[in-house]
Amino acid sequence: MKLHPIWKPYPSISKELTNTLNLMEKSINLKNKSVEQAVLEMIHSGGKLLRPAYQLLFSQFGPEQDRKKAMALAASIEMLHTATLIHDDIVDDADLRRGLPTVRSSFGNDVAVYAGDYLLVCCFKLLADYSGSLKSLQLNSRSMEKILSGELGQMDSRYKLDGTVEQYLENISGKTAELFGLSCFIGAYESGMNQRFAKKCGDIGLNIGIAFQIIDDILDYTQDSQEIGKPVLEDVRQGIYSLPLLYALQENTAALLPYLEKRENMTDEDTQKVFTLVHELHGVEKAQALASDYTSKALTAIDKLPENEQQTKNILSTITKKILNRTN
Amino acid sequence: MKLHPIWKPYPSISKELTNTLNLMEKSINLKNKSVEQAVLEMIHSGGKLLRPAYQLLFSQFGPEQDRKKAMALAASIEMLHTATLIHDDIVDDADLRRGLPTVRSSFGNDVAVYAGDYLLVCCFKLLADYSGSLKSLQLNSRSMEKILSGELGQMDSRYKLDGTVEQYLENISGKTAELFGLSCFIGAYESGMNQRFAKKCGDIGLNIGIAFQIIDDILDYTQDSQEIGKPVLEDVRQGIYSLPLLYALQENTAALLPYLEKRENMTDEDTQKVFTLVHELHGVEKAQALASDYTSKALTAIDKLPENEQQTKNILSTITKKILNRTN
């Protein structure tokens, strides 16, 4: 098991993330060993572990430094994230994730449904075992509710040619940013900081999450299918029109319409044409500008965080810059 | 909204069950109104509400009579149950449940995945809001874990011709009985009874749940498709061999093999033949005898419960006899 190289310069966080993965592994105990194996492979597939990492980093601000608890709560966040990925892959009919076969493609949708449910329940179990209070669980469950409500909201927007930037931001807030926000909030709150401070940390996470998702959506228009580990613009075929395409549509709906109206019957040439048009109509450029706005908001707020022994503030700033300037 | 007639003789429980349904309805708040409507219809589709009812009844034993809390926790159990039904219908490719279209058949598997997830999270939210302690949530989440692990376990047994009664009992313990057990346990525990007493109540629930599932499985062999609201022996086609068929297989595998080995390609005549063979090979009879054993265990334990003002013991006994002698 190898951690993503992004964590190499930080031995202390690296160690805690490794322990977090081990703790996740220990919490998963299925009789069906091949399903268990698939879930574990997914967990160890080399993602950046951003959500548990942010949670661990924000947990360094408070007076309560129970690291075992911090790692268990970080594991619970990553479990929740993994559960939603397994279920997302059912909804998206996805065969690959991070270049590996998805649970649904290896075992079928039926196993993937229950495997995701099982991880959700494992997440609850860790939260119940390690949260400091019922209050923290209450805040946590409200955030989870927003995440699921966001997933269902996105489905409503499918194939909409007149989607607005606001709707897009609302959808990705639910789908992605809320979980980043929750990680930062719970990290601070469960380390003994008050709700006001934790809320500020949560807002940093929200802004990071929004920038992160916009950049992820931009990558669909800047990478080829091999680099990204899934077919080019598969999402567009499925009616998910992300920010670069929305901006391009605002500029010239008529140019894009002949391709988009074929919906799931779009050919590879059609998606290639959409790919080119989105660039020509400045969709990528404008999306990059909006991502920069959210990145700046996050970095400005990080800069105002208190200093501490572990230099958390500097690490947060460096990591955030790194992941939000990513080209892969 | 009409409650199932089984509750008519008990106005106090009827009122609490109605309030429980209302509370569930209030907890569900989705932007996608058609999905919300489908989930609400499912909740109001006239099931017997046995799990929340047992929870409410067992909550009458303790010294803490906070009925609002009892109803909220009953709502959480029914939410969990509904979530698993919505996901079960994906796994089983089911078009009908209680004679109504399933969420997956009305909205597709993708919506059904997230709708079930959303209900799971709502369940968690109610638990976090109303449970008396983190301890109770910890016990609850362990029970949920067993339920999901049981669902995955059942998939392992598909198309197995040499399944044992023990494996069957283990699978239905996870799939059905655990939730009945949890209802009775949490009802008693959250009303302020000690863990030892609550465990006894949980065991009563487990026995009721096992008998209930055996009887449910027997109904596949005693009702026609119209009565039961789904095609005859659809489960067998999908490789789920329940107790009557297991007993028949133990008696004469060779007789059944030519039909079963066609798996999902079994014709209606094949299932009809299996139906007849299971009766001839005494599968139904033996399954009825085992269900009676579990029913007796539950009734004997109910009989030993303490008396109280609400006559809970009598109600439990009457209701349990009624549901475990059901022909529909």
Side-chain angles (χ1 to χ4, degrees), chain A residues 87-88 114 117 129 142, chain B residues 87-88 114 117 129 142 156:
Chain A
H87 281 177
D88 285 351
Y114 291 143
D117 289 354
D129 285 353
R142 265 156 193 75
Chain B
H87 281 178
D88 286 350
Y114 291 143
D117 290 354
D129 285 353
R142 264 157 194 73
D156 252 357

Side-chain angles (χ1 to χ4, degrees), chain B residues 150-297:
Chain B
E151 300 264 23
L152 281 159
Q154 172 173 299
M155 308 191 76
D156 252 357
S157 316
R158 287 198 175 200
Y159 297 114
K160 264 183 78 173
L161 294 167
D162 58 351
T164 65
V165 174
E166 283 81 45
Q167 282 161 354
Y168 167 81
L169 289 173
E170 203 184 308
N171 285 341
I172 69 169
S173 293
K175 200 182 76 160
T176 307
E178 185 67 29
L179 194 56
F180 277 91
L182 179 65
S183 304
C184 301
F185 176 89
I186 291 289
Y189 188 70
E190 283 285 347
S191 71
M193 297 303 283
N194 65 34
Q195 210 170 322
R196 195 165 150 263
F197 180 85
K199 172 86 173 50
K200 271 188 205 163
C201 300
D203 287 341
I204 294 174
L206 277 175
N207 287 324
I208 293 172
I210 290 173
F212 184 81
Q213 185 60 50
I214 296 176
I215 291 164
D216 199 59
D217 289 337
I218 292 171
L219 286 182
D220 288 342
Y221 293 89
T222 54
Q223 290 192 310
D224 66 25
S225 67
Q226 221 172 5
E227 270 182 282
I228 207 164
K230 61 182 180 184
V232 169
L233 298 194
E234 183 55 32
D235 282 358
V236 174
R237 214 177 249 136
Q238 294 187 20
I240 299 172
Y241 301 162
S242 67
L243 192 60
L245 179 52
L246 286 183
Y247 277 132
L249 276 165
Q250 288 181 356
E251 193 82 15
N252 190 344
T253 309
L256 288 153
L257 190 61
Y259 311 104
L260 296 181
E261 67 186 3
K262 294 191 195 171
R263 297 194 165 192
E264 57 274 18
N265 298 320
M266 285 174 82
T267 63
D268 287 351
E269 279 138 48
D270 293 329
T271 54
Q272 193 54 55
K273 193 68 204 170
V274 169
F275 188 100
T276 311
L277 277 168
V278 165
H279 280 271
E280 286 173 6
L281 296 167
H282 313 290
V284 172
E285 213 173 297
K286 287 186 187 169
Q288 272 160 345
L290 192 64
S292 289
D293 288 352
Y294 282 97
T295 304
S296 300
K297 268 193 228 176

Side-chain angles (χ1 to χ4, degrees), chain A residues 137-301:
Chain A
L137 274 171
Q138 286 156 16
L139 296 166
N140 211 315
S141 64
R142 265 156 193 75
S143 186
M144 287 190 198
E145 190 185 4
K146 271 190 211 160
I147 292 165
L148 266 307
S149 171
E151 299 265 22
L152 281 160
Q154 173 173 299
M155 307 191 76
D156 253 356
S157 316
R158 288 200 174 196
Y159 297 113
K160 264 182 79 174
L161 294 167
D162 58 351
T164 65
V165 174
E166 283 81 46
Q167 281 162 353
Y168 167 81
L169 290 173
E170 204 183 308
N171 285 342
I172 68 169
S173 293
K175 200 181 75 159
T176 306
E178 185 68 29
L179 195 55
F180 275 91
L182 179 65
S183 304
C184 302
F185 176 89
I186 291 290
Y189 188 69
E190 282 285 347
S191 71
M193 298 302 285
N194 64 35
Q195 209 170 325
R196 195 165 150 264
F197 180 86
K199 173 86 173 51
K200 272 188 203 162
C201 300
D203 286 342
I204 293 173
L206 278 175
N207 286 324
I208 293 172
I210 290 173
F212 183 83
Q213 185 61 49
I214 295 176
I215 290 164
D216 199 58
D217 288 338
I218 291 171
L219 286 182
D220 287 341
Y221 292 89
T222 53
Q223 291 191 311
D224 66 27
S225 67
Q226 222 171 5
E227 273 182 280
I228 208 164
K230 62 181 181 185
V232 169
L233 299 194
E234 184 52 33
D235 282 359
V236 173
R237 215 177 248 137
Q238 294 188 20
I240 299 172
Y241 300 164
S242 67
L243 191 61
L245 180 52
L246 286 183
Y247 277 133
L249 276 166
Q250 287 181 357
E251 194 82 15
N252 190 344
T253 307
L256 288 153
L257 191 60
Y259 310 105
L260 297 181
E261 68 185 2
K262 294 190 194 171
R263 298 194 166 192
E264 59 272 19
N265 297 320
M266 283 175 84
T267 65
D268 287 350
E269 279 138 48
D270 292 331
T271 54
Q272 195 53 56
K273 194 68 203 169
V274 168
F275 188 100
T276 310
L277 277 168
V278 165
H279 280 272
E280 286 172 7
L281 295 167
H282 313 288
V284 173
E285 211 172 298
K286 286 185 188 169
Q288 273 160 345
L290 192 64
S292 289
D293 289 351
Y294 281 97
T295 303
S296 301
K297 268 193 228 177
L299 291 173
T300 306

Side-chain angles (χ1 to χ4, degrees), chain B residues 86-106:
Chain B
I86 292 175
H87 281 178
D88 286 350
D89 287 337
I90 300 174
V91 171
D92 300 339
D93 264 329
D95 292 326
L96 290 175
R97 176 174 289 279
R98 296 180 196 138
L100 290 176
T102 56
V103 175
R104 71 157 282 286
S105 74
S106 301

